[in-house]
Structure formats: C-alpha cells, structure tokens
Amino acid sequence: MLGYIIRRILAIIPVMLIVAIFVFLLLRLTPGDPAAIIAGDMATPEQLNRIREAMGLNDPLLVQFFTWMGRLLQGDLGVSLISGTDVTTMIGQRIFPTLNMALLTIVIAVMIAVPMGVVAAWRHRSWVDYAVMSFSVLGFSVPVFVIGYLFILVFAISLDWFPVQGYASPTDKGVLAFLDRAILPALTLATIYVALIARMTRASMLEVLGEDYIRTARAKGVRESKVLFRHALRNAAVPILTVIGTGFALLISGVVVTESVFNIPGIGRLTVDAILARDYPVIQAMILLTSGTYVVVNLIIDISYTIFDPRIRY
Amino acid sequence: MAMNSVPPASAMQSVLRLLSIPGLKKLGVGPLLAALVLLAIVIITLLSPWLAPHDPLEMQPLLRLKGPMPDYPLGTDPYGRDLYSRVLIGGRVSLLIGIGAAVVSVLIGLLIGLVAGFFRMLDTIIMRIMDSLMAIPSILLAIALVALNGPSITSVIMAITIPEIPRVVRLVRSVVLTAREEPYVEAAQALGSSMPKILFQHLMPNTMAPLIVQGTYILASAILTEAILSFLGAGVSTEIPTWGNIMAEGRQYFRIKPELILWPGLMLSLCILSINLLGDTARDMLDPRLKKRGE
Amino acid sequence: MLFKTRNFDDAKTVLDISDLVVSLPPAAKAKPVLNGISLTIRQGETVCLVGESGSGKSVTSLAVMGLLPKDALFVTGGSISLSGTDLLAQSPGAMQDMRARRVAMIFQEPMTALNPVLRVGEQIEEVLESHTKLPADERRRRVIDIMEQVHLPDVERVYRSYPHQLSGGQRQRIMIAMALVLEPELLIADEPTTALDVTTQKQILSLIAELQEKHGTAVLFITHDMGVVAEIADSVYVMNHGDMVEHAPIETLLRDPKKDYTRKLLAAVPSLTPRAARPAPGGDPVLRVEQLNMVYGGGGLFKRHPGTHAAKAVTFDVARGRTLGIVGESGSGKSTVARCIMRLIQPTSGAIRLRDSDIAQLTRKQLKPHRQHLQVVFQDPFRSLNPRWTVGRSLVEGPVNYGQSPAAARERAAELMEIVGLPRDSLDRYPHQFSGGQRQRIAIARAVAMEPDVLVADEAVSALDVSVQAQVLDLLDELQEKLGITIVFITHDLRVAAQICDDVLVMQRGVVVEQGAAADVLANPQHDYTRSLIEAAPGRSWDFANFRELGAA
C-alpha cells in the first residue's frame, strides 16, 4: 500500500513536467515576438526590452527553459509585469477566499448530488428520475455566470436575503458573515458540479442495481434502504469519486467566472485581471498551480478507492 | 467454463434494433422538442441578416439603454444598438465556433486514439501527454492560448479544441482496447487480415457511436466555453456580436438593465440545452449498457 | 445407476404452484412466458426443473421469490402457495420478511452473486440482522455455526474474507450458508453448479443433499444438466417454452419418457462412452507441438511476481483427419495451449510445427502464409462474428486476403452455407438475425472457407443447449469426413470429448497428466486426476440417449 502511494506520487513527476514544458512552450512557440504579444500593440521599445529582460527572452530556448525550471523548483513563479510583485506572494494573498469557497462548494455539491442520483436510479423512469435528469441537463446547459446573475437578481435584489457581492473571511469576520456572503456564489459554483455528480451517481447506481448481488440481497429479505445504501452505493462509489476528481477542473473554471460575478478577491479574480492586463507570468503561474492541484486531488481520490473497494490492492 | 455465461446480445444488435422505426417512436416529446428548438435557433441565426430590424452594429448615442419600444422589441444596449438584432445575429459566431471545435477535436482525437489503442509502443507516451493536457483546466489553457494568439475566431476554435482532444483520445482508445479483445477481431487475425484492415474495418466502426455522442457534448461545451471566454474578455474581438460578448458588455449595467444578460443567456442556454438533450438521447439509443436495464 | 426412490406421499406439501401464468406487459402482445404451469414439492423432497434456455425455468423461481423484474414480468394467473400461505397475496413488505426466513435461493454465479465489497461473514450475518432480533454475539455464533455446517475451512479467516479471496466452490458454500442459516422450508437452487468445475460440482451437490437431509428442506433445483438430474432428483419436471411438458419420478422419466420433447432432450445428451475407434492414421502428423511453454506476466520495474506458468512442456501431435481433445478444468491451461497454436499469443518457448514449419516464434508478417492452414472456432457465438458485417462479408474476408476473387469467394461461401445447413441467402443477413447454434455454424463455415488443415475449436459447443450442441458436433464430424480436416477440440466436458475425439489429452495446472486414445483414457484412466474427473461426472453410469444403464445392451 505504502509502495503504491510512493509509486503514484512518483508518477506525478512526468505529468507535471509535461505540463511545465507545455506552459513554457505556449509563450515561446507562439508566432511573433512574445514580448510584443505581452506588451500589446502600443508598447514602447523600452517596455519591450524590460519585458525581454524580465523573462529572459534574449537567451537561447534551452537556457531559458532550465533557468525557468530552476526557479520554479525553488517556488519562484516569477514577477508580475504589471505590479512588479512576486507572483508567489500575490497568490498567497488571494488563495484563502478561493479555498474556502471551493471547500464549501464541494461539501454542498456532494451532499445534494449523491442522494439525488441514488433516488433517481432507485425510481428509474419515475417522475423523480426525470426531474433529477432534467435538473442535471439544465445545470450543464446554463452558463455559470448566467446562473450567478439570476441568483443575485432573485435572492439578493428581489428577495434581499443575501448581500449582492463581496466576501468576508471566516477567520476575521466569523463563520456567519462568511456564509452570508458565500452561500450564493457557492450555490452558483455547485450547480454544474451537482449536475455532474448526480448524473454519474445515477448512472453508476443503475448499473450496480442490475448486478446479481443486489438480487441476492433482495432474496435475503434485506430492507430496500439497506439494499440501496449498504450494497449498491458502496459498489457505485468508484466512478462517483472519479467524476468528483475530474469535475474538479470544471470547478476551477467556475471559480474564475464566479469570483468576477460576485466580486470575491480570490485567485480567480487574479486570473481575470491578469488576462485583461496580459500579465503573462501570472497566467502561467495560475495554470501551473491549478494543474498541480488537479493532479494532487486526483491522486488522493485514486488512493481513496481502496477504502471503498477491497478488490483494489496494490 | 460456465455454460450459460454468454453475455447478452452484442452492442450492434441493440443499436440496430433501436434505430429501427418502432424504436424512434418511443423517443417521446423531450428529444423531439429539443430538435425543434435547435432547428429554430439555427434557422433564426442563418436568416438573422434578413430578420433583424436594425443593423446590429449601428450605434445610436441618443438611444442608450432604453427599454422595449415598438421599433426595438428588447430595447437597446449601452451604445444604443438594437438588442433584439444583436441577439438574433449573436448565435452565428457561437454556432460556427462550436461546430468547428467539435469537428476538429473529434477528428484529431480519433486519429490519436486509434494509434494509442492499437500500437502499444506509442500508447504509454501518448497517454502520458494526454494525462498532462487533462490536468490543465481547459478554461485557463484556452485563456492563455487566446491571450497569446489574439482574439480571432480561429484562435478561439483552437483554444477550445486543444483541451477537448484528450477526452476524445481516451474514449477512442478505450473502445479500441475493448474491441480488440473481441473474438471476431481475433478471428480476423486468424483469417490473415492485415493490421490496417483490422484497425479500420473491424475496430474503427466501434468508435462511431460513442464519437457521435461525444461530438454532441463537445459542441455544447464549446458554445458554452466561447461564451465564458468572451465574458472574461478573452474571446473573439468585442466588435463581433456574439452571445458571450453581448453579455460581457452587459455586466456593468446588470442592475439597471439585466435583460442585456438574460436574453442572450436564454438563447444560449436553450441552444446548449437542446444539444445536450439530443446528445443524451443519442447516448441512450447507442449505449447498450444503459439500455439493457429497460428491457 | 442408483436413483433416489424415497417416497413423499405422506410428507406435507411445501410448495404448490398451480396454473401459474407469467406474462410480459400487455403492450408487448407476446405469448405468456409461463403458460399455466403446475408443480408440487413436499417436505424433504428434491424436485428438478429442467429445460433449455428460454424454457421459463428461472422465471418460475423468481416468481416464487416475488422477485420478478418490476415493470417487465407480471403474474397474470394461477397461484403459488408455500405451506398453505398464498404468496401472491402477500404485500411487498410481508414477502420481503418471508424471503430467507421461509424460502431462500442460491444462484448460478457465486462470484457475481456475492457483494464484492462486503466481507462474506457480514453478508451471512445480514440475513440474521434483517429477520431476527438476536444480540450481536449470538448472531455471530449462528454464522460461525452455519459456516461450519457447509464445511468451510478456517472459518474465522473466511468470515473476514472478501468474495474475491475465496475459490468458486467456497463462494458457493457461502451462498448456501446464507440461504440456510434461518432454516427455510424451501430452498431454490438456480443452476448452482453450472459455473463450477465438475469436481467442485460434485462436492456442492453432496453438500446440498447433506443439509437437506439434516434440516428436512424441500429443494427446487433448476438445471439444464441431465447428469446432475440423474444424481440428485426425486422427481423431475421438464419445461419447454413456458409449458410444463412432463413430470415423473426420476427413474420413470429416464427409463420411459412419455413426451417427444423429453425423449429428444434425453437423446441429445452425449454418452460418456468413447466413440468407436477409427482406423489408425497414416502419414506424418499435420500438427506437432513440442515442449510448449507459456509464462504470463512477471518482470516489471516494481512488480516482482514470478509470472504464471500456464503451460508447461506441452507435447503432442495430431494426424490428418483426426480429432484431438484437450480436456481440463478451469485454469488447466487448455485455452492457453489453443491460443498458442493459433498464434494469437506468442509462446515463451517450444515449437509448434504446422506442416513441418515451426510457427512458434514467427512475426505477424511471417505468419501470414501459415494462417490459412490453421483456423479457429470460439466459444461465444454472439461475439465471434463482427455484428456490423453481413455474414457474406465475414465469410469472404479470409479467402480474399489470400488472393481469391471476391466473386469466387462469395460463390464458395454460398455453397458453404448449404453445407452447414443454412439457406444461401443467409449471406445477406446480419449475425443478430441468427440463433446461437446458427451463428456457430456460420463461424465454422468461415473457418472452413479457408480450407485449413487444422481447425481449433475452443469450447465451441459449451455455450449451446444440448440439442443444438449435438447438431454442431455432428456437423464438425461430417466436415471432417468430407474434407479431412484435423480438429483440436478444447473442452471441459468429458461427455463432449467422448463423443467427438479420437485421442484425448488431459491437462491439470498447465501440465499434461495423461494422453492417449480416447477409448483408453476415458474407459481406463491411469492418472488419479483423470480418474477423479471421470468419477465426478454426474450420471456417468446412465446411457441417457438409450434410456438405460450404460452397457446394458
């Protein structure tokens, strides 16, 4: 087991290396002068030079790569072209709102989605099933910012239940103030995640409910609730976990959008501001950070399979 | 050595049965409605130059942010342009980008996936690269690509396509890996059929049904991604009216005139919703595993 | 043959099914799945319900359990009574309470019938949790007790095991323990030994008999295997397409079946007596396998498994026009040998000489000229033909690969259709339009179209009902007579081997333990393993096809 975990952690290295190479080449292989792309059309020669210097664009490609990788390994993500601040510091300042939001979202999503999917599968082809499926398709189809603005329109402006925008840190201002401001954005973010997880739970449960051992459980006279949650859900867990992991990518793009809609000072907003300002070192750092998080989240999920399925042994 | 352990009828068998006319009858109203809505959206979008009462680009400084008027059914935007005309025409670029991204990613993904599924030597390398690409959140990758290549339609299509490719590759590869274990593929080997023949005639047809389904989902997600990119200011040039761009411009005025986001948002959602519903219908018909339960 | 002759006239009736009708939803407008069947089982009695696939025997058992698939099958007539309780009148809750307590069931596949993520001890204990208010330690005591009764070894360890850590036989013992822990009046066993090897089957059958004796349980045993029926039944019910064809005490039914269908069914059961010896072969062997070894897996950077030695120094040869049977239980390596000969896998070492060329280590390209002399028929008729291709396209694929013109290949394919007993226009149809037996004929035609010297049949009749099985075996025999093909026949079924093979090779765990003429090996086995295989074959002293004891001419 420990050996497996070590092997899995080692397997991250090539994946992250390829991501890094990709991110590195993204800028360098773009046709045209990277400095001009970053600085925009109106840049003066001095500005261009400053950018070239800052990013080491005057060196040969391989030298650039190794210098860049070397800094990266020391945790140096470069310096923002706009503010001149160290990117690592910038991320450090902005990460907590995002983390808090993301955690709240995942908890809400799993708590809503899994029971939804289970009931839909159990009552396959009933009105509950159709309702869950309709909600799920809808969740996939409405852009997250439209959902965000609709929530603001209904719950903040018309009903005045929540503040329109903003953020309060749970540690400074207290959990209630945090929740007051975080519920709407978290629900917005959760919509697509709920759609995804509910759908997978339903599909996975439908498959498991057709298995012989479910028939055996019923032949034993086991209560239906026990058949569903003890026998079926545990067997259906692995695909559900997997989709929670891969859906994490959706969560990240949702964060970027939701933070701008609700004006939350997290790393999503940081990214949007960086795009508008073409602050390439920041964009680059964000890609590396989010990819790294994605890989680690999926590693944890992979390892957690063993809890649910004793057949998976390493 | 179980005597009765034969799995039920093959995938194709159920496909054929379901594609027969009585099968189509069972579809129900949902998918039919979805098809009609999508058809309507496509027709409106194609005919928009003739349907639109105004030039969607014509600015009328005196008519900024007006409510609905006889001549302007949905009112005007911050530059005094007719919102109705803009929403009608806004679908053109969105649909073009969606279809472009779906076709390109399916074709490239199919090719790479076939190679990965059939040649074990290349499989490991290809799948490592695909894993890495999957690890990069698609929206950020797309943002970076557009930020670097400029806000043209082609670069947006490319930006949406690249993150979709690994998903198609994985799908095609897994179908090929399953299919090549089938006895009929082994029988073809015994009959002396060549590698390319087995690959293209026996294995590739198995990928078609799942690819059709996947292509539909990519189409929906590409249209959605285009809107998000525009919304974040990393989409096609703001001079081109797309649903995403119209909404992006409406952000600041959301509290005064929410229709700037709601109308294009509604069109966009209806469009994606009907595509997704059609995708689900196709999957239910083509995926024998889920279908089996109903029988 | 010693049949059961117990008398149950005075025993109380446990299960009484009368005029039971089970139908598809009215919208399907189909004929009922069960067409008014009646059946009685008394206390302590074993009733066998036999029939081929689609006869409705499993539906009968699910109807008794109240487990018919919702919205798909409905009881539309008749009655089911369990010791006087009308089962059809019970509410779902009452029926749920009755299951495992008064009527229990065991299924065919002990692997899939047990929940893979729960410990087997917990799964047995769950029955007690659902139906009794026993305290935890008492429950555990009862579970351990029933596990001992089904003769599981090392009960404490097995209690904590997951299904995948146990053998097929042990898993079926767990199923039986689960079914009997509450001492139900009726046990329904749906093909409980079909997925098991013969030696394990024998143990499970005697276990069921032992526990039945001990607890006085009535047993409804569903099977397609006449050998099993002869061993265990007190009385037999024969079903066909939802109708009850005939029922009688076991010996009466086997000696003097009244209905044509029953006679046909019995006549198709292959005899364990080897076929009459054919004249010894002349000339050199067509296929010669020498010191064939196959090791799977092993190596790897982090894994240090030694690998599985699936075939060890296998050596044999076959002459033109003869049939060699490779016989063994699961895991014996017989399929590995077949796949090596076919060169679907590359053997680790050894030689495979086909018409004097060694093909064991040839590359894909080098193999091509040899492929046409060597063809294969697989077990599963539903997967061995490309479902997207017409039969005609599948049949011409091979000959065209070797330079025949499509027109000529198609003409030959049409002839072959007639030879295998199918109409010529079958060529324009798709595999799903044919039954399993017909598809197997098509697969045989496809192989024969290549005019091979050697045909490898890998469990080619194992997925077929006995009557269809007999026809396909006859077809193979006929083709061999006509074309002089050499057949390598892989099977787990000694009856089938006896029916078709000239020579037999018995494998156990990768090793050939005995080989020789079928008549010698099967009639006078030398190796212990061969002997145990033959002894485990159920009903081996009965000649089903002639309704009498074997050898009683």
Side-chain angles (χ1 to χ4, degrees):
Chain A
M1 183 70 195
L2 189 71
Y4 171 74
I5 295 175
I6 294 171
R7 251 182 294 143
R8 277 305 321 256
I9 292 174
L10 290 179
I12 287 185
I13 296 172
V15 172
M16 284 315 294
L17 186 69
I18 296 172
V19 171
I21 294 175
F22 198 82
V23 168
F24 173 80
L25 291 179
L26 213 52
L27 178 66
R28 273 76 177 181
L29 290 190
T30 307
D33 177 4
I37 291 172
I38 289 167
D41 303 333
M42 310 304 249
T44 60
E46 293 81 61
Q47 276 176 312
L48 289 181
N49 253 331
R50 193 166 57 81
I51 291 171
R52 284 203 193 95
E53 281 296 307
M55 301 189 65
L57 291 174
N58 293 324
D59 300 327
L61 208 60
L62 266 182
V63 176
Q64 284 184 43
F65 180 69
F66 284 110
T67 341
W68 181 73
M69 276 303 287
R71 289 206 193 133
L72 207 59
L73 290 177
Q74 293 163 21
D76 177 1
L77 292 167
V79 169
S80 162
L81 295 177
I82 308 302
S83 63
T85 330
D86 186 35
V87 176
T88 322
T89 322
M90 289 171 81
I91 290 174
Q93 289 164 349
R94 299 286 202 96
I95 192 119
F96 287 104
T98 306
L99 272 183
N100 292 336
M101 287 287 313
L103 276 178
L104 183 64
T105 304
I106 293 178
V107 171
I108 292 180
V110 172
M111 273 174 21
I112 298 176
V114 172
M116 258 170 78
V118 170
V119 173
W122 180 49
R123 286 280 169 252
H124 187 36
R125 278 154 210 257
S126 71
W127 67 269
V128 192
D129 186 19
Y130 289 118
V132 168
M133 284 309 277
S134 312
F135 171 82
S136 156
V137 188
L138 210 62
F140 277 120
S141 306
V142 185
V144 59
F145 53 87
V146 173
I147 296 172
Y149 282 120
L150 272 178
F151 280 174
I152 293 181
L153 203 62
V154 175
F155 296 108
I157 297 177
S158 299
L159 296 172
D160 199 19
W161 289 354
F162 302 100
V164 174
Q165 288 175 322
Y167 175 78
S169 154
T171 39
D172 301 345
K173 303 252 171 69
V175 176
L176 278 181
F178 164 72
L179 284 180
D180 193 34
R181 287 177 177 76
I183 284 282
L184 280 189
L187 281 177
T188 307
L189 259 177
T191 314
I192 191 165
Y193 219 32
V194 169
L196 190 72
I197 298 172
R199 211 177 149 95
M200 183 50 87
T201 307
R202 173 182 176 274
S204 182
M205 284 290 287
L206 274 181
E207 189 153 347
V208 169
L209 286 176
E211 295 287 348
D212 286 354
Y213 52 79
I214 297 299
R215 189 182 54 184
T216 307
R218 291 194 172 128
K220 287 198 291 189
V222 171
R223 267 201 321 278
E224 198 62 14
S225 60
K226 242 181 160 181
V227 171
L228 281 182
F229 287 94
R230 182 165 190 213
H231 288 271
L233 189 57
R234 265 196 76 178
N235 278 285
V238 167
I240 300 173
L241 281 173
T242 311
V243 85
I244 292 177
T246 49
F248 192 75
L250 277 178
L251 189 66
I252 291 169
S253 56
V255 163
V256 176
V257 177
T258 312
E259 288 189 357
S260 354
V261 171
F262 288 92
N263 211 359
I264 296 166
I267 53 171
R269 271 283 300 290
L270 184 65
T271 317
V272 177
D273 294 342
I275 301 162
L276 297 174
R278 291 164 176 266
D279 195 347
Y280 195 74
V282 178
I283 299 181
Q284 193 171 274
M286 290 313 305
I287 293 181
L288 286 171
L289 177 74
T290 48
S291 311
T293 319
Y294 178 87
V295 170
V296 171
V297 166
N298 280 285
L299 168 77
I300 295 170
I301 282 176
D302 265 15
I303 293 171
S304 73
Y305 290 161
T306 45
I307 303 171
F308 291 90
D309 195 337
R311 283 167 299 179
I312 303 176
R313 280 279 174 267
Y314 310 97
Chain B
M1 295 306 126
M3 294 203 31
N4 283 4
S5 67
V6 183
S10 71
M12 196 55 203
Q13 200 184 340
S14 4
V15 172
L16 286 171
R17 209 177 327 119
L18 286 160
L19 286 180
S20 60
I21 300 304
L24 282 176
K25 258 192 235 158
K26 277 187 278 177
L27 277 184
V29 261
L32 201 67
L33 206 65
L36 284 178
V37 168
L38 188 63
L39 194 69
I41 291 176
V42 170
I43 290 175
I44 288 173
T45 312
L46 288 177
L47 297 182
S48 57
W50 295 276
L51 289 177
H54 297 273
D55 177 355
L57 300 179
E58 183 196 356
M59 302 195 197
Q60 304 254 24
L62 291 177
L63 291 177
R64 297 177 62 223
L65 292 170
K66 294 288 183 217
M69 297 175 285
D71 222 16
Y72 296 83
L74 302 179
T76 57
D77 77 354
Y79 300 94
R81 294 174 296 201
D82 177 29
L83 181 59
Y84 179 63
S85 307
R86 285 176 72 73
V87 169
L88 286 190
I89 215 155
R92 278 212 297 192
V93 174
S94 301
L95 284 175
L96 178 72
I97 288 177
I99 292 169
V103 170
V104 177
S105 50
V106 164
L107 287 182
I108 298 180
L110 172 63
L111 197 74
I112 303 179
L114 284 178
V115 171
F118 208 69
F119 300 99
R120 288 188 184 179
M121 309 292 288
L122 292 171
D123 185 36
T124 322
I125 305 170
I126 291 178
M127 289 324 286
R128 262 294 133 72
I129 297 177
M130 292 303 139
D131 282 349
S132 310
L133 265 181
M134 294 261 287
I136 304 177
S138 55
I139 204 85
L140 290 182
L141 182 55
I143 287 171
L145 285 166
V146 177
L148 292 170
N149 290 302
S152 70
I153 291 181
T154 356
S155 80
V156 171
I157 291 182
M158 192 178 90
I160 297 173
T161 302
I162 290 178
E164 292 289 353
I165 289 175
R167 277 168 258 275
V168 182
V169 171
R170 280 193 158 194
L171 176 74
V172 172
R173 172 179 175 269
S174 76
V175 172
V176 171
L177 285 182
T178 318
R180 58 184 286 171
E181 300 294 319
E182 289 289 315
Y184 69 82
V185 175
E186 296 190 326
Q189 230 172 308
L191 293 171
S193 292
S194 62
M195 284 275 234
K197 190 169 177 185
I198 291 177
L199 186 59
F200 289 108
Q201 295 192 14
H202 285 286
L203 296 178
M204 201 172 85
N206 286 296
T207 65
M208 287 305 139
L211 272 184
I212 291 171
V213 177
Q214 185 72 6
T216 333
Y217 292 142
I218 295 179
L219 174 59
S221 110
I223 295 175
L224 199 61
T225 310
E226 185 276 327
I228 292 177
L229 285 178
S230 302
F231 182 80
L232 294 175
V236 295
S237 158
T238 46
E239 286 140 38
I240 305 173
T242 71
W243 288 329
N245 275 340
I246 301 171
M247 288 186 276
E249 282 166 1
R251 278 174 72 181
Q252 281 175 279
Y253 305 92
F254 175 69
R255 305 189 74 160
I256 312 166
K257 191 174 162 67
E259 292 92 325
L260 287 174
I261 288 183
L262 295 184
W263 281 114
L266 180 69
M267 286 296 278
L268 182 69
S269 305
L270 272 180
C271 178
I272 299 173
L273 185 65
S274 42
I275 297 174
N276 275 332
L277 275 174
L278 290 177
D280 282 356
T281 312
R283 192 212 42 208
D284 288 349
M285 290 190 341
L286 297 173
D287 186 341
R289 275 191 322 162
L290 288 176
K291 206 62 215 176
K292 220 168 52 189
R293 308 264 167 260
E295 288 172 358
Chain C
M1 182 94 207
L2 211 59
F3 294 111
K4 287 191 180 167
T5 50
R6 302 183 289 186
N7 188 316
F8 291 95
D9 290 349
D10 301 329
K12 82 180 178 76
T13 302
V14 172
L15 180 69
D16 188 12
I17 301 178
S18 92
D19 295 321
L20 182 67
V21 183
V22 171
S23 316
L24 292 162
K29 293 199 181 71
K31 135 181 204 301
V33 178
L34 293 184
N35 212 353
I37 62 154
S38 301
L39 182 153
T40 330
I41 308 179
R42 293 172 188 271
Q43 190 172 22
E45 187 185 18
T46 300
V47 166
C48 279
L49 187 54
V50 296
E52 298 191 294
S53 44
S55 60
K57 53 194 196 302
S58 287
V59 172
T60 309
S61 67
L62 292 176
V64 175
M65 292 295 291
L67 287 174
L68 288 175
K70 259 185 282 169
D71 313 327
L73 290 175
F74 304 89
V75 175
T76 48
S79 69
I80 305 174
S81 135
L82 181 69
S83 307
T85 316
D86 180 0
L87 293 187
L88 296 177
Q90 301 299 312
S91 70
M95 201 57 223
Q96 176 188 308
D97 181 53
M98 204 110 57
R99 292 197 279 267
R101 207 165 54 78
R102 297 187 56 191
V103 48
M105 185 162 179
I106 53 181
F107 301 95
Q108 175 177 339
E109 271 287 348
M111 183 70 231
T112 56
L114 286 170
N115 191 327
V117 306
L118 297 177
R119 295 177 198 280
V120 294
E122 293 169 358
Q123 296 192 49
I124 303 175
E125 204 170 322
E126 191 178 26
V127 178
L128 298 172
E129 280 167 28
S130 299
H131 296 284
T132 67
K133 294 194 165 60
L134 294 175
D137 53 339
E138 174 64 14
R139 281 203 307 261
R140 195 177 154 96
R141 203 190 55 71
R142 291 272 297 265
V143 173
I144 299 289
D145 176 55
I146 191 79
M147 285 173 78
E148 274 161 0
Q149 284 191 45
V150 298
H151 308 306
L152 280 160
D154 198 358
V155 169
E156 288 292 336
R157 182 185 58 81
V158 171
Y159 182 95
R160 288 188 310 272
S161 301
Y162 290 99
H164 70 277
Q165 294 163 330
L166 304 177
S167 70
Q170 288 174 331
R171 286 194 285 257
Q172 200 57 294
R173 284 170 199 273
I174 296 286
M175 283 298 295
I176 294 170
M178 210 147 78
L180 295 183
V181 66
L182 287 173
E183 305 195 1
E185 296 145 60
L186 174 67
L187 173 69
I188 302 176
D190 188 355
E191 305 259 8
T193 59
T194 307
L196 304 173
D197 284 324
V198 277
T199 43
T200 320
Q201 163 169 293
K202 189 180 178 189
Q203 296 161 5
I204 295 292
L205 291 178
S206 64
L207 174 68
I208 293 176
E210 178 194 329
L211 293 171
Q212 174 185 35
E213 192 85 355
K214 197 161 160 187
H215 300 286
T217 322
V219 174
L220 175 60
F221 198 104
I222 295 169
T223 182
H224 68 277
D225 187 334
M226 280 298 175
V228 171
V229 175
E231 293 280 338
I232 66 163
D234 291 302
S235 58
V236 187
Y237 286 75
V238 181
M239 284 185 78
N240 182 32
H241 293 306
D243 292 315
M244 194 59 84
V245 177
E246 180 167 5
H247 77 98
I250 175 67
E251 189 162 359
T252 318
L253 188 103
L254 290 184
R255 278 192 196 280
D256 185 19
K258 295 281 181 295
K259 297 286 163 48
D260 282 351
Y261 179 75
T262 316
R263 298 185 82 86
K264 220 182 77 200
L265 201 63
L266 289 170
V269 178
S271 155
L272 254 178
T273 318
R275 63 185 298 165
R278 295 192 285 191
D284 287 336
V286 182
L287 178 71
R288 207 193 269 275
V289 173
E290 291 159 13
Q291 295 294 318
L292 183 77
N293 281 290
M294 183 69 210
V295 181
Y296 287 113
L301 193 55
F302 290 96
K303 301 167 227 157
R304 251 163 275 144
H305 313 265
T308 317
H309 209 149
K312 286 180 206 154
V314 174
T315 303
F316 63 86
D317 53 44
V318 214
R320 180 167 301 279
R322 301 280 282 188
T323 300
L324 169 75
I326 303 185
V327 178
E329 296 185 300
S330 50
S332 62
K334 57 189 192 302
S335 283
T336 301
V337 172
R339 295 175 69 78
C340 284
I341 300 172
M342 286 310 303
R343 276 310 314 279
L344 293 169
I345 50 178
Q346 187 168 8
T348 314
S349 68
I352 300 165
R353 284 182 218 291
L354 178 67
R355 310 205 314 178
D356 295 329
S357 347
D358 181 4
I359 60 165
Q361 305 295 332
L362 297 187
T363 64
R364 181 175 265 275
K365 245 200 200 93
Q366 292 166 327
L367 269 173
K368 186 165 179 196
H370 301 285
R371 289 254 190 237
Q372 58 175 318
H373 306 301
L374 192 58
Q375 287 301 307
V376 64
V377 178
F378 292 106
Q379 171 175 5
D380 185 346
F382 292 90
R383 291 164 62 202
S384 58
L385 294 166
N386 188 334
R388 291 181 175 76
W389 285 17
T390 60
V391 167
R393 191 171 170 200
S394 283
L395 251 70
V396 302
E397 182 182 12
V400 168
N401 284 339
Y402 288 93
Q404 227 181 80
S405 78
R410 202 181 152 83
E411 186 44 41
R412 173 72 185 142
E415 285 167 23
L416 279 168
M417 280 291 102
E418 282 179 350
I419 293 179
V420 300
L422 292 170
R424 275 175 167 251
D425 63 6
S426 304
L427 292 184
D428 298 319
R429 295 198 270 159
Y430 287 90
H432 72 268
Q433 294 166 288
F434 297 90
S435 70
Q438 289 172 324
R439 285 187 225 192
Q440 211 58 323
R441 287 163 187 275
I442 295 168
I444 292 170
R446 175 178 62 185
V448 170
M450 301 288 282
E451 297 173 5
D453 296 306
V454 178
L455 180 68
V456 178
D458 188 357
E459 297 278 9
V461 297
S462 303
L464 307 174
D465 281 325
V466 288
S467 55
V468 184
Q469 192 172 18
Q471 294 163 8
V472 173
L473 289 176
D474 285 346
L475 173 66
L476 282 175
D477 224 27
E478 193 186 309
L479 286 171
Q480 185 170 47
E481 289 292 314
K482 236 182 245 170
L483 308 166
I485 303 177
T486 301
I487 299 177
V488 178
F489 201 96
I490 318 288
T491 183
H492 70 282
D493 189 335
L494 286 173
R495 292 177 182 277
V496 170
Q499 172 107 340
I500 192 167
C501 300
D502 299 296
D503 303 291
V504 170
L505 189 142
V506 182
M507 288 188 74
Q508 181 193 22
R509 282 186 234 110
V511 180
V512 177
V513 295
E514 185 163 0
Q515 68 189 104
D520 297 339
V521 175
L522 296 178
N524 187 16
Q526 296 304 308
H527 194 276
D528 284 347
Y529 179 67
T530 318
R531 225 171 284 144
S532 71
L533 272 186
I534 293 173
E535 273 162 21
R540 67 198 164 95
S541 54
W542 188 256
D543 185 351
F544 292 92
N546 295 309
F547 318 110
R548 63 186 182 205
E549 272 89 4
L550 259 188

